[in-house]
Amino acid sequence: LIHFYKRTSVDYGTEECSFTIRPDFAGKFKPMQVKELIATTLNDTLGGRLYDPNKVSNWSKSIADSVKSQVKTLGYDRYKIVVEVVIGEQRGEGVRMGSRCLWDSDTDNYASEVYMNDSLFCCTAVFGLYYY
């Protein structure tokens, strides 16, 4: 049994593929820009406030929503933005915060900022994860 295949060529013209796998340098997540946004938001939201366990939940949601909406205005197309906010009472004790994430070190990045006053502390982290 013999099979014959006929090869045909198709002319696609001079069109170029517009699909990109990785963002260009201008489109990459920039931690310093995001860190400035976080610091401004934390100072505006928590400046002069005392720790109140009944209000902390609303403050953390407000900070996360505000930071996320501001980061989205920076134009990071095809990035998933994740914001983590932790607020606690300042008692003179040490606190460590850690996160784990599976990511591509060429495209993904994060920015974090810590706010402290005599009554409370707030750790905020923003992760920018690129969609392929």
Side-chain angles (χ1 to χ4, degrees):
L1 191 51
I2 300 174
H3 294 280
F4 291 98
Y5 295 100
K6 183 179 179 184
R7 300 181 90 188
T8 60
S9 63
V10 178
D11 183 18
Y12 291 108
T14 59
E15 294 180 22
E16 292 184 23
C17 180
S18 63
F19 182 75
T20 57
I21 294 178
R22 299 192 184 279
D24 58 351
F25 181 74
K28 282 191 175 185
F29 187 86
K30 296 179 181 59
M32 290 308 295
Q33 285 182 340
V34 176
K35 191 170 182 146
E36 290 173 8
L37 290 176
I38 297 169
T40 302
T41 303
L42 293 179
N43 286 328
D44 293 346
T45 306
L46 299 175
R49 297 206 183 196
L50 299 175
Y51 182 80
D52 184 351
N54 299 322
K55 296 180 181 177
V56 167
S57 177
N58 290 335
W59 292 344
S60 61
K61 288 177 189 174
S62 172
I63 291 168
D65 291 341
S66 177
V67 168
K68 187 174 181 179
S69 66
Q70 290 179 38
V71 170
K72 285 188 173 190
T73 63
L74 295 177
Y76 296 125
D77 298 332
R78 296 178 62 182
Y79 271 92
K80 170 80 173 177
I81 304 298
V82 178
V83 181
E84 181 182 35
V85 179
V86 176
I87 299 176
E89 186 174 10
Q90 186 74 274
R91 294 184 178 179
E93 300 168 347
V95 175
R96 292 197 178 246
M97 182 175 138
S99 298
R100 283 189 169 182
C101 187
L102 181 63
W103 70 15
D104 182 352
S105 60
D106 290 337
T107 58
D108 304 338
N109 215 328
Y110 78 99
S112 63
E113 186 68 28
V114 177
Y115 174 87
M116 285 192 285
N117 65 20
D118 293 337
S119 178
L120 59 86
F121 68 89
C122 178
C123 301
T124 303
V126 177
F127 300 90
L129 308 168
Y130 189 74
Y131 278 135
Y132 287 100

